[in-house]
Amino acid sequence: MARIKSQCLSLTLMIVWLAGACANTENTSDLTVNLDQIHLYAEQDRLQCGAPENRHIGTFTLYDYSIVLGMLVISLGIGVFYGFMDKSSSNSSADFLHGTEMSLITVSLSLTTSFITAIELLGNPSEMFFNGTQYSLIVISIALVIPVAIKIFYPIYFKLDLTSCYEYLGIRFNNNIRIFGAILYIIQMCFYTAVSVYAPAIALSKATGLNTHLAVFLIYVVCVFYSSQGGMKAVVIADTFQACVLAFSLVLVVVLGHFYTGGFTEIFEIAEDRGRVELLNFDINPTTRHTVFSVVVGGFFYWTSLLCTNQASVQKCMSLRKLKRANWALVLSIIGLVFVFTVNFYTGLTVFKHYADCDPVRSGQIVAKDELLPFYIMDVFNDIKFVNGFFVAGIFAASLGTVASALNSLSAVTYEDIFVTGMNIKIDPEKAAMYIKWMSLGYGIISFALVFLVEQLGGILQATLTLNGLIGGVTLGLFSLGVLFKSANSKGALYGGIVALVLVVYVGIMAQLNNVEPTPLPSSLTKCECYSNETMPIEVEVTPTEVPALYRISYIWYSFLGAVLTILFGLIISVITDRISASQILHLTASNQTQSIERTDEKCERKLSECAKNSPAIFIVEKYRKKSQMNPNLRGVDNMGMKMEEV
């Protein structure tokens, strides 16, 4: 409408100008001035790209609200059914945390939903748009986790029949390591759930006009209810439903994008022409944001920590009761992850095709990169009923799956690792399920409260996402010490984990404080229908030379860094503590044997006549006693012990 208005005004002014030109053709300089003024008036009448009218292109209609509310109501209904009607799912703590024997397909879909956060659904397309396709190799990293999970980690968990995966750390080392791992997980997931809800809520509110706090409140109310009342079975069934909603919304966007934006060939042609297609960057510099090595190797450590040493995933697989079924669930969930990520990456290229000549961020139509996909949906498909609603429902579904799985697993870790093991609190089995429900409710309230902390400290968003990778890497390092290295001991695991955690968190914090945004690939504003007053060239990254390279390491290496440092320090401290323990044992043994010899000498002095027959033995004992005082080493102690037995 604004464009039509502008064109009409331009035409009117042009007619006026022509009339003036016919009336006075002698004053050509005035004609030039008038022509410049005409263009100026026409340009000023067009809406600026950053104007509110252009930043909220679409509207969220009653149809859209009905889709979102319907999805939330069904999720609540699942909690009502398993919490109040199906009593078999909550009679005991074991049933509440693991559920009765679950279906393979439902657990697979639930695992897939748990690891697809709304942050990734919004962030992956913007990554393709602004930085190219190099990050898409993350699907290789995810696939490489399969053999590690089914051959190394999960056979151990099923053999020990664990409720909490951190119970393994207690069996392998001691309960201090178990509690340490549990505390790391609690800190990690409390902050991560808050960010995984708040970050997409911001993007959705700015792009669609939805109230941020209303979106956050609805997600938490629904999650807390069905996870705290229905237990693991409600979480898995709700995740299955939400996975279907999520998949439908992603496929719907791709199909509509094909008709409204362009087909596969067109999309990849323009992506390649504009430098978006990049898959073989073999740069070995760890400060380069995305390379083959960082995405494949660093991503492998990140996804291994999520799939193999994260309570949310282990707990769902253990609900299948059999290792073979759990292995199939992992394989199917990883196939689902690869499918969703691939569709998400392709969606990003579709959005780039649509805005290749009018970058929404540079033109001011949106202010953050994560708003790109919601902006595209509201801009292109606004006239189609229910599309906006299905898209938002899909984003909500991803948030619901992440939070619900986290709340249930946090309850399991707190009950098994902190209360029963750490505090040695004896809980009546009949009341345990009720206590666990209250724990799940409590963690929901804590996570919801952390949302407001995140809101006040905006910079903590990226820092918290970094913290997730760092803590996950340290946890993976602790499990790897126990599984792969026989020489690792409890002191090495505990102190090595603490030292590694301090170092990687320090690096992560310094990286955030000295953060330099990646340089976006070239974009254009040549065909923007709105008026942009940008005259600056495309942003150029400035890497301060005074910032150490250690603080500029790519974020995707953090899990690798945490795991490797934990293993390295754990092994070093294990060797040192073993040597110290051996030295103390030798010293104690030598001291005990020397005292025994002295008692024998005193006895001989008192009964000299009885010991006279054994004078050669007395001489030998005395000789070794003097030697032991000068050099009490292992061989000398062993010889002394042998001679004492002879005496």
Side-chain angles (χ1 to χ4, degrees):
M1 191 68 182
R3 188 170 66 239
I4 295 173
K5 209 173 139 188
S6 173
Q7 291 173 351
C8 292
L9 178 62
S10 299
L11 182 59
T12 303
L13 291 174
M14 185 65 72
I15 293 172
V16 172
W17 174 75
L18 288 173
C22 293
N24 185 13
T25 57
E26 296 180 357
N27 194 348
T28 57
S29 61
D30 292 341
L31 294 179
T32 304
V33 172
N34 291 337
L35 183 61
D36 291 338
Q37 289 176 344
I38 290 170
H39 286 294
L40 178 62
Y41 295 148
E43 191 71 21
Q44 287 178 342
D45 187 72
R46 296 170 62 196
L47 288 174
Q48 283 196 0
C49 294
E53 293 86 348
N54 258 334
R55 292 188 58 195
H56 293 290
I57 293 178
T59 56
F60 213 66
T61 65
L62 184 61
Y63 302 103
D64 301 319
Y65 278 110
S66 66
I67 294 294
V68 176
L69 291 176
M71 188 271 294
L72 295 175
V73 168
I74 292 175
S75 298
L76 279 173
I78 293 172
V80 170
F81 177 79
Y82 288 106
F84 300 99
M85 299 180 184
D86 184 11
K87 297 300 181 181
S88 63
S89 63
S90 58
N91 282 337
S92 67
S93 60
D95 289 336
F96 187 87
L97 296 175
H98 289 304
T100 53
E101 189 167 344
M102 308 294 292
S103 165
L104 175 63
I105 298 300
T106 56
V107 172
S108 301
L109 291 173
S110 179
L111 280 169
T112 302
T113 309
S114 299
F115 299 124
I116 299 175
T117 66
I119 297 173
E120 290 164 331
L121 291 178
L122 298 177
N124 288 341
S126 68
E127 177 67 27
M128 299 299 104
F129 188 102
F130 295 103
N131 300 302
T133 60
Q134 186 65 64
Y135 182 70
S136 62
L137 293 182
I138 195 70
V139 297
I140 299 177
S141 307
I142 300 173
L144 290 175
V145 177
I146 293 177
V148 176
I150 66 178
K151 294 295 184 181
I152 298 178
F153 288 97
Y154 279 87
I156 296 174
Y157 299 151
F158 274 84
K159 185 176 181 179
L160 297 174
D161 191 23
L162 305 179
T163 299
S164 165
C165 65
Y166 305 107
E167 187 178 350
Y168 167 76
L169 296 177
I171 296 171
R172 172 61 176 85
F173 298 112
N174 59 34
N175 286 335
N176 290 333
I177 312 300
R178 178 179 179 179
I179 296 170
F180 178 57
I183 292 174
L184 288 180
Y185 179 76
I186 291 171
I187 295 172
Q188 174 188 356
M189 296 307 292
C190 281
F191 278 95
Y192 187 62
T193 51
V195 175
S196 65
V197 173
Y198 181 66
I202 293 176
L204 287 172
S205 75
K206 289 183 178 179
T208 66
L210 286 175
N211 183 274
T212 303
H213 295 102
L214 176 62
V216 171
F217 178 76
L218 288 174
I219 290 173
Y220 270 103
V221 167
V222 174
C223 279
V224 169
F225 182 82
Y226 74 76
S227 64
S228 64
Q229 299 302 313
M232 175 56 73
K233 197 163 188 177
V235 170
V236 170
I237 299 301
D239 283 352
T240 302
F241 164 69
Q242 291 151 10
C244 295
V245 174
L246 173 61
F248 179 79
S249 66
L250 292 175
V251 173
L252 180 64
V253 171
V254 170
V255 172
L256 291 176
H258 176 81
F259 291 101
Y260 280 76
T261 299
F264 183 87
T265 304
E266 298 175 64
I267 288 171
F268 272 91
E269 281 181 356
I270 194 167
E272 189 171 6
D273 290 342
R274 303 294 179 90
R276 259 54 184 183
V277 178
E278 180 189 26
L279 295 173
L280 299 177
N281 183 350
F282 287 98
D283 188 357
I284 61 174
N285 186 351
T287 63
T288 303
R289 188 166 180 265
H290 288 154
T291 66
V292 172
F293 301 108
S294 66
V295 175
V296 175
V297 179
F300 169 77
F301 277 80
Y302 178 80
W303 283 101
T304 301
S305 69
L306 284 181
L307 290 166
C308 299
T309 61
N310 185 287
Q311 173 64 16
S313 58
V314 174
Q315 188 173 338
K316 289 182 179 179
C317 288
M318 294 298 292
S319 69
L320 291 170
R321 306 295 195 232
K322 295 180 181 179
L323 176 60
K324 186 176 180 180
R325 289 164 58 83
N327 290 341
W328 274 110
L330 282 168
V331 172
L332 293 175
S333 67
I334 288 175
I335 292 174
L337 280 169
V338 171
F339 168 76
V340 171
F341 272 63
T342 302
V343 171
N344 210 214
F345 293 143
Y346 179 74
T347 302
L349 295 180
T350 303
V351 176
F352 178 75
K353 163 67 170 59
H354 190 82
Y355 296 115
D357 293 314
C358 186
D359 184 337
V361 173
R362 286 187 62 207
S363 63
Q365 296 177 80
I366 58 177
V367 296
K369 295 178 180 179
D370 288 343
E371 298 175 23
L372 179 67
L373 184 57
F375 178 79
Y376 170 75
I377 303 295
M378 302 293 287
D379 182 14
V380 179
F381 310 135
N382 187 59
D383 294 333
I384 305 176
K385 294 179 180 179
F386 299 110
V387 172
N388 295 337
F390 274 114
F391 170 72
V392 174
I395 298 298
F396 272 38
S399 297
L400 288 170
T402 302
V403 175
S405 299
L407 295 180
N408 193 270
S409 60
L410 284 168
S411 302
V413 168
T414 303
Y415 173 73
E416 294 287 342
D417 300 320
I418 304 299
F419 286 173
V420 176
T421 301
M423 299 181 179
N424 198 26
I425 298 176
K426 305 299 181 182
I427 300 177
D428 186 350
E430 296 181 357
K431 297 181 179 180
M434 181 184 66
Y435 292 146
I436 294 172
K437 289 182 179 181
W438 283 107
M439 291 177 200
S440 181
L441 176 62
Y443 276 117
I445 295 173
I446 291 172
S447 180
F448 180 70
L450 288 174
V451 168
F452 296 94
L453 174 62
V454 169
E455 184 180 23
Q456 296 300 319
L457 304 174
I460 203 173
L461 288 173
Q462 190 174 359
T464 305
L465 296 178
T466 299
L467 184 66
N468 185 56
L470 295 175
I471 293 181
V474 173
T475 303
L476 177 61
L478 292 174
F479 278 86
S480 300
L481 274 174
V483 173
L484 303 177
F485 300 96
K486 291 183 178 180
S487 60
N489 60 31
S490 59
K491 291 182 179 179
L494 179 61
Y495 297 122
I498 292 174
V499 172
L501 180 66
V502 171
L503 289 177
V504 295
V505 169
Y506 171 76
V507 171
I509 292 174
M510 295 303 296
Q512 296 304 314
L513 294 177
N514 297 281
N515 183 50
V516 178
E517 288 292 330
T519 304
L521 295 174
S523 60
S524 173
L525 297 174
T526 57
K527 294 184 180 179
C528 287
E529 295 182 355
C530 53
Y531 167 70
S532 175
N533 58 3
E534 181 186 279
T535 57
M536 299 181 299
I538 299 173
E539 298 176 42
V540 177
E541 179 181 10
V542 179
T543 303
T545 56
E546 65 272 11
V547 178
L550 181 64
Y551 304 152
R552 291 185 282 111
I553 291 177
S554 173
Y555 74 96
I556 207 167
W557 283 112
Y558 287 157
S559 293
F560 170 85
L561 187 64
V564 169
L565 288 179
T566 301
I567 294 172
L568 179 63
F569 285 117
L571 291 176
I572 292 174
I573 295 174
S574 294
V575 170
I576 294 173
T577 53
D578 281 344
R579 292 286 180 87
I580 294 174
S581 298
S583 175
Q584 291 175 342
I585 292 172
L586 292 176
H587 179 73
L588 181 61
T589 304
S591 176
N592 291 339
Q593 291 183 346
T594 300
Q595 292 176 4
S596 177
I597 292 171
E598 291 175 349
R599 287 195 298 270
T600 302
D601 289 344
E602 292 175 359
K603 183 178 180 180
C604 287
E605 289 176 359
R606 291 195 304 269
K607 299 183 179 180
L608 185 59
S609 59
E610 296 179 8
C611 293
K613 300 176 182 179
N614 300 322
S615 57
I618 294 173
F619 173 76
I620 293 173
V621 169
E622 180 64 18
K623 179 180 70 172
Y624 277 99
R625 185 176 67 83
K626 292 180 179 179
K627 282 188 176 181
S628 68
Q629 291 174 349
M630 294 183 292
N631 184 23
N633 54 46
L634 180 60
R635 183 174 298 175
V637 171
D638 289 341
N639 291 336
M640 285 173 60
M642 180 186 68
K643 296 302 180 180
M644 282 297 297
E645 289 176 359
E646 292 177 359
V647 173

